[in-house]
Amino acid sequence: MTFRLIGRLPKIGIRPVIDGRERGVRESLEEQTMNMARSAAKLIEENLRFPSGEKVECVIADRCIGGVAEAAMCADKFEREGVGVSLTVSPCWCYGTEVMDSNPSIPKAVWGFNGTERPGAVYLAAALAGYSQKGLPTFGIYGRDVQDADDTTIPEDVKEKILRFAKAGLAMAQMRGKSYLSLGSTSMGIAGSVVNPDFFQDYLGMRNESVDMTEFLRRMDEKIYDPEEFEKALAWVKANCPEGEDLNKPHNKRDRERYDWEWETVVKMALIARDLMVGNPRLKELGFGEESNGHNALLAGFQGQRQWTDYYPNGDFMEAILNSSFDWNGIRQAFVLATENDSLNGVAMLFGHLLTCTAQIFSDVRTFWSPEAVKRVTGKDLSGKAKDGIIHLINSGATCLDATGQQQSNGVGAMKPFWEISEEESKNCLDHTQWCAANHEYFRGGGFSSQFKTEAEMPVTMVRVNLVKGLGPVLQIAEGWTIDLPEDIHTVLDRRTDPTWPTTWFAPRLTGKGAFVDVYSVMAKWGANHGAISYGHIGADLITLASMLRIPVCMHNVAEDKIFRPSAWDAFGMDKEGSDYMACKNYGPAYGRS
């Protein structure tokens, strides 16, 4: 069963701009200019998809743009077609501000062809100067090597920048107008669950929706869920979600009847949370028209602790299964649901999901283990990428089952977009997961937590958004790898905390400077108790997206030559990170201040 959010998917508009002088000049450039637009569209459409699986669609202006009238024609078409990202291309001189895209609400880039026959580079520089002067930050794309005028190929360095810009721009466009849904309120005083509507509105273009957790009780009591799907889901859970060890003390253990009730409850919670996020037309057939609509939520968070979990089963199963790429209905797009209603970590998860189309890991950034400490408690040495120490990522709730490392790409463990996942891979993820009874001292209402170890060395990026009073949001990024620790080391370390929760061992890539001088510093400088972990080294994509949203990056280990921000950032000084802060402050949030 697939539920789509309300609103059409954004398209990428391609604007071929040209020297408007007719009687020889324009005519000689029409084909080359339009071919650039077609090549850019082909590159994007062949390489990018939305997280829902649909291919990205490009819209090319009906004619080359030689002046303001044709620019207006193009803008009108883009508005009708639902364009959310704009890429201008040209091989030649054009009339800078006359042909520019003046829409302030969508991200823009200009690709100027590096050729000697016509001054494409001169136009690119003039265009970027105009955009900067008008306060419309724009990305500049210019190939390193000179091409011949009839060369329709796109150099690799240009491809990389076009795709990075397009991915980030589409992520920004997909958030606009969607909702963050708070299922409950503030959890245990965690600052990230004090949801800030100004941040969502000003920086992400999103609205905030909220329902009290009693809505779960109402929907369970009044059977506001699909009873047929519930029976299907419960049978699937019994067949595919085996219980693990119950580590509760004897006086805290529950009988079978209670555990069976808890399973029924957490399955209903998963159905209800999904329906609250995106709606369910089946509910209207059952007489619940209002409830069938949902909240058009691209992202949600569940408070849980403590008011809910002191009384009812925890949200661990609901969060883990919704964040995964499969459930009783088969393989499907992962949802994004944050534990403890940590909206800021949820946003970091959303960034990763929109950029990679994969499921996301939500974890506590729990413990730094130095090589010396590991040696002391296990008698063993860390090796390989773990040799400088590791960070224990572990949390009771929202870690997706994709993180077991049982999916494969080119013969090694991976986390893949759902359309690339096989039935066998989803089964392997389930087979490597047990569901342990909750610690009843923590969770008096019971519930079940997924238990697994990430059993693959995968490239990943840990991300976090933090809010700082007087500054606003900042983004932290740490690229690194999951570590498949030998079982004898893992077991000893894991048993020192709650072994009924899923564990991912993480080794960040060190650079020898700043927060990345050693693993301890990464842990010590992480700005909150939670982190969002995405498959792949996507730090450069995140930096591009953050610049579009005007969120400065306070910590990262991305190579400098991969950093791609609007050209105006170069005007704010020679220090890339300092100029990022100054530019973000100067331009302000992407959607203005409330």
Side-chain angles (χ1 to χ4, degrees), residues 367-392 453 457 481-494 503-508 510 518-520:
T367 310
F368 163 65
W369 279 99
S370 68
E372 296 77 16
V374 172
K375 180 75 170 181
R376 178 177 63 82
V377 302
T378 69
K380 306 288 184 179
D381 292 314
L382 293 175
S383 60
K385 289 186 171 65
K387 65 182 176 59
D388 296 311
I390 48 178
I391 295 174
H392 195 176
K453 180 187 78 165
E457 184 179 287
W481 297 268
T482 62
I483 301 297
D484 187 7
L485 279 187
E487 203 62 37
D488 53 354
I489 300 178
H490 163 77
T491 300
V492 173
L493 303 187
D494 202 45
T503 278
T504 300
W505 298 104
F506 174 63
L510 302 180
D518 54 27
V519 180
Y520 168 80

Side-chain angles (χ1 to χ4, degrees), residues 62-367:
D62 291 331
R63 56 198 283 185
C64 290
I65 301 166
V68 67
E70 288 164 323
M73 294 175 195
C74 176
D76 183 58
K77 178 178 183 178
F78 283 6
E79 185 174 357
R80 293 195 311 270
E81 294 280 350
V83 165
V85 184
S86 167
L87 173 63
T88 296
V89 304
S90 184
C92 61
W93 169 253
C94 309
Y95 305 144
T97 58
E98 294 184 24
V99 301
M100 76 186 326
D101 174 4
S102 57
N103 186 335
S105 65
I106 62 176
K108 338 177 183 306
V110 179
W111 170 28
F113 186 78
N114 185 358
T116 56
E117 290 82 0
R118 299 284 183 173
V122 178
Y123 159 69
L124 174 62
L128 295 175
Y131 281 112
S132 295
Q133 192 167 326
K134 288 179 174 290
L136 300 171
T138 300
F139 293 80
I141 302 173
Y142 181 61
R144 177 174 292 273
D145 297 319
V146 173
Q147 293 179 262
D148 297 330
D150 60 354
D151 187 352
T152 59
T153 64
I154 304 178
E156 290 303 315
D157 60 331
V158 173
K159 285 182 182 179
E160 182 178 339
K161 288 184 175 179
I162 289 176
L163 293 177
R164 179 156 293 141
F165 164 77
K167 280 191 288 186
L170 288 170
M172 179 178 176
Q174 287 174 83
M175 289 185 279
R176 190 183 306 131
K178 303 303 188 296
S179 304
Y180 176 83
L181 175 62
S182 293
L183 301 167
S185 185
T186 305
S187 175
M188 301 185 295
I190 294 172
S193 65
V194 182
V195 181
N196 186 314
D198 289 344
F199 164 66
F200 279 90
Q201 176 179 313
D202 295 351
Y203 286 89
L204 310 180
M206 295 178 66
R207 63 188 298 148
N208 292 89
E209 295 284 298
S210 179
V211 297
D212 192 89
M213 289 183 292
T214 55
E215 179 65 3
F216 282 85
L217 295 177
R218 184 181 80 90
R219 292 196 181 206
M220 285 189 275
D221 290 347
E222 298 182 11
K223 294 183 170 50
I224 307 176
Y225 55 84
D226 184 345
E228 294 178 4
E229 187 181 4
F230 167 67
E231 293 299 333
K232 176 183 178 181
L234 186 62
W236 181 88
V237 165
K238 289 178 178 179
N240 293 283
C241 301
E243 290 183 19
E245 56 188 332
D246 186 344
L247 294 182
N248 284 291
K249 297 171 184 176
H251 69 277
N252 267 338
K253 292 188 177 181
R254 312 278 170 82
D255 60 26
R256 187 68 253 165
E257 182 179 4
R258 168 70 188 199
Y259 282 144
D260 288 344
W261 174 83
E262 290 178 14
W263 272 117
E264 293 176 4
T265 301
V266 298
V267 170
K268 290 175 185 175
M269 288 170 64
L271 295 175
I272 291 168
R274 182 204 62 198
D275 292 351
L276 282 165
M277 287 181 70
V278 299
N280 185 346
R282 176 74 174 122
L283 297 184
K284 187 169 186 178
E285 298 172 6
L286 296 170
F288 304 106
E290 180 183 1
E291 292 85 351
S292 72
N293 292 323
H295 290 264
N296 204 34
L298 189 61
L299 165 66
F302 179 67
Q303 174 192 331
Q305 298 185 71
R306 284 188 44 203
Q307 287 74 15
W308 180 271
T309 57
D310 278 2
Y311 178 54
Y312 254 64
N314 62 29
D316 291 9
F317 173 80
M318 168 185 69
E319 293 161 3
I321 205 66
L322 288 180
N323 279 312
S324 299
S325 299
F326 43 83
D327 60 17
W328 44 88
N329 290 316
I331 298 168
R332 47 117 177 105
Q333 179 187 357
F335 290 85
V336 183
L337 177 60
T339 294
E340 293 158 354
N341 199 28
D342 186 345
S343 62
L344 298 180
N345 211 55
V347 167
M349 293 171 71
L350 180 61
F351 288 174
H353 180 60
L354 294 176
L355 290 170
T356 68
C357 303
T358 60
Q360 302 295 296
I361 299 171
F362 180 115
S363 280
D364 281 352
V365 184
R366 180 65 65 96
T367 310

